[in-house]
Amino acid sequence: MEDMRVTPWEVEGIVDYSKLVEIFGVKLLSDREIELTREALGEDHYMLRRRIFYAHRDYDVFLRLYMDGRRVALYTGRGPSGPVHLGHMLPWIFTKWLQDRMGIELYFEYTDDEKFLYHREYSLDLVRKYAYDNMLDLIALGFDPRKTHILVDIEDIGYLYGLAVRVAKKVTLSTMKALMGFTDSTNIGMVFYPSLQIAMCFLPTELRNEQTHVLIPAAIDQDPYWRVARDIASSLGYPKPAQIHAKFLPGLGPGGKMSSSKPETAIFVTDSLEEARKKLMDAFTGGQPTAKMQRELGGNPDVCPVFKYYEMMFEEDDEKLRERYWACKTGKLLCGECKLELVERVLPFLERHKELREKAKERVEEFLLRNKF
Ligand code: TYM
């Protein structure tokens, strides 16, 4: 088996989520936190029940602070390296649910600097273009503009720089090498960059001039930043940020997360409906080589990305998901049918999303942090 390697920039090998919990030192989400979610927000979410969001740091503490009426906010972000794929939207869908249920602010960072520094061939113009393009995908999901504040690192650096240098002064190169996988040939821009992603955890407190407890919903790959953020928060006079971590929406091939570096197995919001249909119909599955064998032996939904798409994004009804699982396992459902049904869900979602992102073009200004603070 290919060795697992998970850093904020690379996810390689088959991801062992339990092992990541150990390596990163986060906690598994338990029934207790789900119960607490119901108590605090009046309902839970399928992404919690199914452990798609599966690990956390102080999510329970965050919910209690919210219930106690303390100032709380959400923070998440995107590195604009190209078009958004469905995997990126998974944490945003959950974030939107949290914002709706809690009525709280979301601070969203577009890290154009990070992507400029990471990709040798990228220009500043290109990452800026992607940042503004990717904003449309966030806005299209229906976030509340009065409560959603978007920051773009390079243009809005004035908001972050003072905080970032205070962060940077607390963090050694050896910590960064150990946590982020930096080597002697990493450019020094990349070495400084994490200070900005960490500084954002503390920006709500500065802008609101009041201690603000932040929850960060993101996939587990972003965890190394928050470990550092939590270590240094109190010495800088800020509350420790809490996190809730998701698993990765897989790519449509065998194993691995959906990733821009494997475009043939990722569904991008910019894909035409035809392209998306083709990718889905060509997907790897947990099925048998022939329909006859599938009927006799059944399929394996546990290793099937097509099933994962239902589980993680396209089937919210638990009972229907269970039925699909068993229909596959017992050979009643063939892969072709299952893929076609998925196409019938993904294509209308994409079509609608494309319309909404067109409309979002007129609304960008309402979301920019610099227009409000
Ligand atoms: P980026 O652009 O790589 O990813 C954006 C968000 O999507 C998550 N993600 C996924 N989630 C599910 N399935 C996948 N296949 C998948 N691939 C990516 C990421 O975990 C992330 O939540 N450096 C960051 C930008 C950033 C940020 C933040 C992210 C700045 N501040 C705060 C999260 C929280 C980045 O490049 O994300």
Side-chain angles (χ1 to χ4, degrees), residues 171-203:
V171 186
T172 65
L173 182 57
S174 69
T175 302
M176 279 295 126
K177 279 183 167 172
L179 287 181
M180 306 283 180
F182 293 155
T183 65
D184 284 353
S185 52
T186 305
N187 74 56
I188 59 173
M190 281 301 286
V191 176
F192 179 72
Y193 162 74
S195 333
L196 288 158
Q197 185 157 333
I198 294 167
M200 267 303 275
C201 301
F202 311 132
L203 186 65

Side-chain angles (χ1 to χ4, degrees), residues 75 77-79 87 109 114 197 218-219 221-222 248-249 257-258:
Y75 159 40
R78 156 82 181 137
E109 179 181 35
E114 176 194 7
Q197 185 157 333
D221 59 335
Q222 301 296 310
F248 302 112
L249 186 72
K257 74 158 193 154
M258 182 170 281

Side-chain angles (χ1 to χ4, degrees), residues 11 15-18 20-21 28-29 47-55 86-88 90-91 218-221 244-250 257-258 308 311-313:
V11 177
V15 182
D16 179 338
Y17 288 105
S18 323
L20 279 185
V21 165
L28 277 176
L29 195 81
M47 292 194 193
L48 296 173
R49 286 197 303 280
R50 297 180 192 165
R51 301 298 196 271
I52 294 163
F53 274 86
Y54 85 111
L86 288 182
H88 299 127
L90 184 144
I220 185 92
D221 59 335
I244 183 149
H245 294 302
K247 296 178 185 164
F248 302 112
L249 186 72
K257 74 158 193 154
M258 182 170 281
K308 285 274 172 239
E311 183 186 358
M312 297 179 83
M313 274 180 103

Side-chain angles (χ1 to χ4, degrees), residues 294-344:
Q294 174 97 353
R295 285 206 184 85
E296 282 164 14
L297 303 170
N300 185 357
D302 296 315
V303 299
C304 180
V306 173
F307 182 76
K308 285 274 172 239
Y309 280 49
Y310 286 106
E311 183 186 358
M312 297 179 83
M313 274 180 103
F314 292 99
E315 180 56 89
E316 291 189 26
D317 184 320
D318 291 341
E319 192 45 45
K320 291 200 174 127
L321 187 72
R322 233 186 324 268
E323 280 167 19
R324 182 173 297 279
Y325 183 89
W326 287 108
C328 169
K329 266 223 165 300
T330 54
K332 288 195 195 95
L333 178 65
L334 300 183
C335 297
E337 285 167 59
C338 193
K339 282 180 180 174
L340 267 180
E341 284 173 39
L342 185 62
V343 166
E344 280 161 17

